[in-house]
Amino acid sequence: MSIPIVNVYFFGEIEKMTTSTLMKKLSMATVGAAVVALGAVDSAQAFGFTGAYAPSNWTLSNNYTNGYVDTSNAPSSISIIGGEDGESGYGRTTYTTTALIGGLLSFNWSYGTADENPFYDPFSFVLNGAFTQLTNSSGPNGQSGAFSTTLAQGDIFGFGIDTVDNFSGSATATISDLATPVPEPVSTLGMLIGAGAMLKRKQQQKAKEKA
């Protein structure tokens, strides 16, 4: 059976050693510090509407309208379609989820409206109930752009389309190239050190019992 070899960073130098040698070199204090450091949760990036950010983990909400979301192109993209119920006046459609961890969020968007102009159906980024309009109300009926921001763990974020009049044509916004923060995977070395720490404690306990 082969013995695992790991690369270990010791004070500016990389040293190759077997896992058993690594355990001998690390004192209990060093092991504990290493486990804490490696166990700290850093953020990585996930791409697309998948995993923790798959469509099943998002919530569609309508206030005084009948908008909906098309997820048929997920995980590459999703489209949010604003409402047009013909009778409610102002309405709002949102599609939101919860940030698994803090970190960078970014996406591209493209927008089109069948209404007279974008003023009647603006598209926005939503963060904890606050709306940041991304479309230009005085711009063309077809628009596009890119957006990025930093999220905190537990933030409620997503997308929204308002309808000023609920008739004369709805708007559609397609969100693509979504990049979301996810926890960094625990390293193999971290797991080896954790297992080594438990083994070392058992060896010390046996030594005490013999004494």
Side-chain angles (χ1 to χ4, degrees), residues 106-120:
S106 63
F107 59 89
N108 294 330
W109 58 272
S110 61
Y111 167 93
T113 180
D115 211 329
E116 183 179 344
N117 60 62
F119 168 81
Y120 293 100

Side-chain angles (χ1 to χ4, degrees), residues 15-210:
E15 183 177 347
K16 288 185 179 292
M17 63 182 70
T18 64
T19 53
S20 59
T21 304
L22 171 62
M23 292 307 108
K24 291 177 183 177
K25 279 184 173 286
L26 291 172
S27 67
M28 286 302 294
T30 305
V31 168
V35 170
V36 170
L38 287 165
V41 179
D42 294 323
S43 65
Q45 289 274 283
F47 299 96
F49 291 87
T50 187
Y53 299 104
S56 59
N57 295 317
W58 293 67
T59 300
L60 172 68
S61 297
N62 275 305
N63 290 318
Y64 303 108
T65 193
N66 58 352
Y68 61 98
V69 172
D70 179 0
T71 61
S72 60
N73 289 321
S76 297
S77 67
I78 62 96
S79 295
I80 178 170
I81 298 89
E84 187 186 22
D85 68 9
E87 58 185 41
S88 298
Y90 174 81
R92 170 171 284 176
T93 300
T94 59
Y95 193 55
T96 58
T97 191
T98 302
L100 195 61
I101 191 173
L104 181 66
L105 166 77
S106 63
F107 59 89
N108 294 330
W109 58 272
S110 61
Y111 167 93
T113 180
D115 211 329
E116 183 179 344
N117 60 62
F119 168 81
Y120 293 100
D121 301 276
F123 167 63
S124 300
F125 172 70
V126 183
L127 180 61
N128 297 324
F131 283 64
T132 299
Q133 185 171 323
L134 301 182
T135 48
N136 180 353
S137 294
S138 301
N141 281 16
Q143 302 181 29
S144 62
F147 181 83
S148 65
T149 190
T150 300
L151 299 175
Q153 183 178 10
D155 276 349
I156 307 298
F157 71 95
F159 318 103
I161 290 184
D162 290 345
T163 173
V164 173
D165 51 16
N166 253 307
F167 70 92
S168 296
S170 60
T172 298
T174 298
I175 297 90
S176 60
D177 300 312
L178 179 72
T180 45
V182 293
E184 187 78 50
V186 176
S187 70
T188 301
L189 177 58
M191 292 187 288
L192 286 172
I193 291 175
M198 291 187 288
L199 177 60
K200 194 172 185 69
R201 283 197 294 269
K202 288 183 179 180
Q203 290 173 340
Q204 289 179 335
Q205 184 62 38
K206 288 182 179 178
K208 287 181 181 179
E209 291 173 355
K210 289 181 180 179

